[in-house]
Amino acid sequence: MRVNVDFDRCASSGTCVRLAPDIFEIRDDGYLYLLNGEPDDSRRDDLQEAVDSCPTEAISLSES
Ligand code: SF4
């Protein structure tokens, strides 16, 4: 599974960070960073929730 983030759309709301802090991180510069772009399938539920919860629809999942 691959995690895709459209960084131009990201508003740094932090919703995805709260759901999956092993995958997403907001750093001191205020920008979102992807820590793991190809996570294990066991993270699918939280990542799907992040996709559904992102206020700017910046996250998508695809099969790698
Ligand atoms: S939930 Fe969406 S807008 Fe918020 S930090 Fe994550 S990618 Fe950015």
Side-chain angles (χ1 to χ4, degrees):
M1 174 177 48
R2 188 182 301 272
V3 181
N4 311 292
V5 176
D6 183 342
F7 291 99
D8 290 334
R9 294 182 71 105
C10 174
S12 296
S13 70
T15 310
C16 59
V17 178
R18 284 190 290 278
L19 289 165
D22 54 324
I23 309 292
F24 304 102
E25 180 177 82
I26 293 178
R27 297 190 181 155
D28 290 344
D29 61 10
Y31 288 105
L32 179 72
Y33 289 81
L34 196 53
L35 301 178
N36 182 359
E38 295 188 21
D40 192 88
D41 233 40
S42 64
R43 303 300 287 119
R44 185 176 293 275
D45 286 353
D46 281 338
L47 287 167
Q48 187 59 54
E49 194 172 347
V51 169
D52 295 340
S53 304
C54 174
T56 62
E57 299 182 358
I59 309 170
S60 61
L61 304 178
S62 56
E63 301 311 316
S64 52

